[in-house]
PDB file of all heavy atoms in Angstrom:
ATOM      1  N   ALA B  40      49.336 111.016 186.010  1.00 77.00           N
ATOM      2  CA  ALA B  40      48.049 111.470 185.474  1.00 77.00           C
ATOM      3  C   ALA B  40      48.348 112.396 184.300  1.00 77.00           C
ATOM      4  O   ALA B  40      49.037 113.397 184.468  1.00 77.00           O
ATOM      5  CB  ALA B  40      47.267 112.203 186.549  1.00 77.00           C
ATOM      6  N   PRO B  41      47.849 112.069 183.086  1.00 75.00           N
ATOM      7  CA  PRO B  41      48.122 112.935 181.934  1.00 75.00           C
ATOM      8  C   PRO B  41      47.410 114.265 182.070  1.00 75.00           C
ATOM      9  O   PRO B  41      46.393 114.354 182.737  1.00 75.00           O
ATOM     10  CB  PRO B  41      47.582 112.135 180.751  1.00 75.00           C
ATOM     11  CG  PRO B  41      46.606 111.181 181.322  1.00 75.00           C
ATOM     12  CD  PRO B  41      47.042 110.917 182.721  1.00 75.00           C
ATOM     13  N   PRO B  42      47.922 115.320 181.439  1.00 77.00           N
ATOM     14  CA  PRO B  42      47.268 116.630 181.496  1.00 77.00           C
ATOM     15  C   PRO B  42      45.873 116.566 180.882  1.00 77.00           C
ATOM     16  O   PRO B  42      45.560 115.674 180.102  1.00 77.00           O
ATOM     17  CB  PRO B  42      48.175 117.540 180.662  1.00 77.00           C
ATOM     18  CG  PRO B  42      49.462 116.812 180.515  1.00 77.00           C
ATOM     19  CD  PRO B  42      49.179 115.373 180.714  1.00 77.00           C
ATOM     20  N   ALA B  43      45.053 117.530 181.234  1.00 74.00           N
ATOM     21  CA  ALA B  43      43.652 117.533 180.806  1.00 74.00           C
ATOM     22  C   ALA B  43      43.531 117.675 179.287  1.00 74.00           C
ATOM     23  O   ALA B  43      42.583 117.178 178.687  1.00 74.00           O
ATOM     24  CB  ALA B  43      42.907 118.674 181.498  1.00 74.00           C
ATOM     25  N   GLU B  44      44.485 118.372 178.633  1.00 75.00           N
ATOM     26  CA  GLU B  44      44.354 118.554 177.187  1.00 75.00           C
ATOM     27  C   GLU B  44      44.667 117.281 176.411  1.00 75.00           C
ATOM     28  O   GLU B  44      44.403 117.191 175.222  1.00 75.00           O
ATOM     29  CB  GLU B  44      45.170 119.735 176.668  1.00 75.00           C
ATOM     30  CG  GLU B  44      46.611 119.902 176.983  1.00 75.00           C
ATOM     31  CD  GLU B  44      46.948 120.466 178.347  1.00 75.00           C
ATOM     32  OE1 GLU B  44      46.103 121.017 179.066  1.00 75.00           O
ATOM     33  OE2 GLU B  44      48.094 120.325 178.684  1.00 75.00           O
ATOM     34  N   TRP B  45      45.202 116.250 177.105  1.00 75.00           N
ATOM     35  CA  TRP B  45      45.449 114.962 176.444  1.00 75.00           C
ATOM     36  C   TRP B  45      44.197 114.130 176.594  1.00 75.00           C
ATOM     37  O   TRP B  45      44.006 113.421 177.558  1.00 75.00           O
ATOM     38  CB  TRP B  45      46.610 114.222 177.077  1.00 75.00           C
ATOM     39  CG  TRP B  45      47.958 114.831 176.878  1.00 75.00           C
ATOM     40  CD1 TRP B  45      48.261 116.027 176.348  1.00 75.00           C
ATOM     41  CD2 TRP B  45      49.191 114.235 177.254  1.00 75.00           C
ATOM     42  NE1 TRP B  45      49.595 116.248 176.346  1.00 75.00           N
ATOM     43  CE2 TRP B  45      50.210 115.133 176.921  1.00 75.00           C
ATOM     44  CE3 TRP B  45      49.544 113.033 177.852  1.00 75.00           C
ATOM     45  CZ2 TRP B  45      51.546 114.872 177.140  1.00 75.00           C
ATOM     46  CZ3 TRP B  45      50.884 112.779 178.074  1.00 75.00           C
ATOM     47  CH2 TRP B  45      51.870 113.688 177.713  1.00 75.00           C
ATOM     48  N   LYS B  46      43.339 114.210 175.623  1.00 69.00           N
ATOM     49  CA  LYS B  46      42.106 113.451 175.699  1.00 69.00           C
ATOM     50  C   LYS B  46      42.242 112.178 174.899  1.00 69.00           C
ATOM     51  O   LYS B  46      43.021 112.096 173.957  1.00 69.00           O
ATOM     52  CB  LYS B  46      40.950 114.256 175.096  1.00 69.00           C
ATOM     53  CG  LYS B  46      40.578 115.479 175.882  1.00 69.00           C
ATOM     54  CD  LYS B  46      39.407 116.137 175.213  1.00 69.00           C
ATOM     55  CE  LYS B  46      38.980 117.379 175.949  1.00 69.00           C
ATOM     56  NZ  LYS B  46      37.877 118.024 175.286  1.00 69.00           N
ATOM     57  N   LYS B  47      41.447 111.230 175.267  1.00 67.00           N
ATOM     58  CA  LYS B  47      41.384 110.019 174.476  1.00 67.00           C
ATOM     59  C   LYS B  47      40.614 110.346 173.205  1.00 67.00           C
ATOM     60  O   LYS B  47      39.701 111.169 173.226  1.00 67.00           O
ATOM     61  CB  LYS B  47      40.676 108.902 175.240  1.00 67.00           C
ATOM     62  CG  LYS B  47      41.527 108.268 176.296  1.00 67.00           C
ATOM     63  CD  LYS B  47      40.849 107.040 176.809  1.00 67.00           C
ATOM     64  CE  LYS B  47      41.765 106.299 177.742  1.00 67.00           C
ATOM     65  NZ  LYS B  47      41.209 105.047 178.193  1.00 67.00           N
ATOM     66  N   PRO B  48      40.967 109.703 172.090  1.00 62.00           N
ATOM     67  CA  PRO B  48      40.236 109.991 170.855  1.00 62.00           C
ATOM     68  C   PRO B  48      38.790 109.544 170.976  1.00 62.00           C
ATOM     69  O   PRO B  48      38.470 108.618 171.697  1.00 62.00           O
ATOM     70  CB  PRO B  48      40.991 109.199 169.797  1.00 62.00           C
ATOM     71  CG  PRO B  48      41.827 108.211 170.537  1.00 62.00           C
ATOM     72  CD  PRO B  48      42.024 108.741 171.906  1.00 62.00           C
ATOM     73  N   ASP B  49      37.933 110.262 170.226  1.00 62.00           N
ATOM     74  CA  ASP B  49      36.520 109.906 170.206  1.00 62.00           C
ATOM     75  C   ASP B  49      36.355 108.508 169.622  1.00 62.00           C
ATOM     76  O   ASP B  49      37.211 108.004 168.907  1.00 62.00           O
ATOM     77  CB  ASP B  49      35.738 110.897 169.332  1.00 62.00           C
ATOM     78  CG  ASP B  49      35.747 112.289 169.922  1.00 62.00           C
ATOM     79  OD1 ASP B  49      35.982 112.407 171.132  1.00 62.00           O
ATOM     80  OD2 ASP B  49      35.529 113.254 169.155  1.00 62.00           O
ATOM     81  N   ALA B  50      35.220 107.925 169.890  1.00 58.00           N
ATOM     82  CA  ALA B  50      34.962 106.579 169.386  1.00 58.00           C
ATOM     83  C   ALA B  50      34.869 106.595 167.860  1.00 58.00           C
ATOM     84  O   ALA B  50      35.206 105.623 167.196  1.00 58.00           O
ATOM     85  CB  ALA B  50      33.684 106.021 169.998  1.00 58.00           C
ATOM     86  N   GLY B  51      34.456 107.718 167.243  1.00 60.00           N
ATOM     87  CA  GLY B  51      34.310 107.794 165.794  1.00 60.00           C
ATOM     88  C   GLY B  51      35.622 108.111 165.073  1.00 60.00           C
ATOM     89  O   GLY B  51      35.697 108.090 163.855  1.00 60.00           O
ATOM     90  N   TRP B  52      36.647 108.418 165.855  1.00 62.00           N
ATOM     91  CA  TRP B  52      37.929 108.785 165.238  1.00 62.00           C
ATOM     92  C   TRP B  52      38.601 107.540 164.699  1.00 62.00           C
ATOM     93  O   TRP B  52      38.640 106.511 165.358  1.00 62.00           O
ATOM     94  CB  TRP B  52      38.818 109.452 166.286  1.00 62.00           C
ATOM     95  CG  TRP B  52      40.159 109.865 165.758  1.00 62.00           C
ATOM     96  CD1 TRP B  52      40.421 110.993 165.059  1.00 62.00           C
ATOM     97  CD2 TRP B  52      41.388 109.176 165.911  1.00 62.00           C
ATOM     98  NE1 TRP B  52      41.744 111.073 164.759  1.00 62.00           N
ATOM     99  CE2 TRP B  52      42.377 109.939 165.278  1.00 62.00           C
ATOM    100  CE3 TRP B  52      41.769 107.989 166.508  1.00 62.00           C
ATOM    101  CZ2 TRP B  52      43.694 109.567 165.234  1.00 62.00           C
ATOM    102  CZ3 TRP B  52      43.103 107.627 166.448  1.00 62.00           C
ATOM    103  CH2 TRP B  52      44.046 108.402 165.814  1.00 62.00           C
ATOM    104  N   GLN B  53      39.152 107.675 163.467  1.00 65.00           N
ATOM    105  CA  GLN B  53      39.878 106.554 162.880  1.00 65.00           C
ATOM    106  C   GLN B  53      41.234 107.054 162.410  1.00 65.00           C
ATOM    107  O   GLN B  53      41.363 108.187 161.959  1.00 65.00           O
ATOM    108  CB  GLN B  53      39.125 105.969 161.687  1.00 65.00           C
ATOM    109  CG  GLN B  53      37.828 105.322 162.063  1.00 65.00           C
ATOM    110  CD  GLN B  53      37.129 104.774 160.829  1.00 65.00           C
ATOM    111  OE1 GLN B  53      37.596 104.962 159.732  1.00 65.00           O
ATOM    112  NE2 GLN B  53      36.010 104.112 161.049  1.00 65.00           N
TER     113      GLN B  53
END
Side-chain angles (χ1 to χ4, degrees):
E44 51 281 346
W45 292 9
K46 293 182 180 179
K47 283 190 173 184
D49 295 339
W52 180 81
Q53 294 179 356

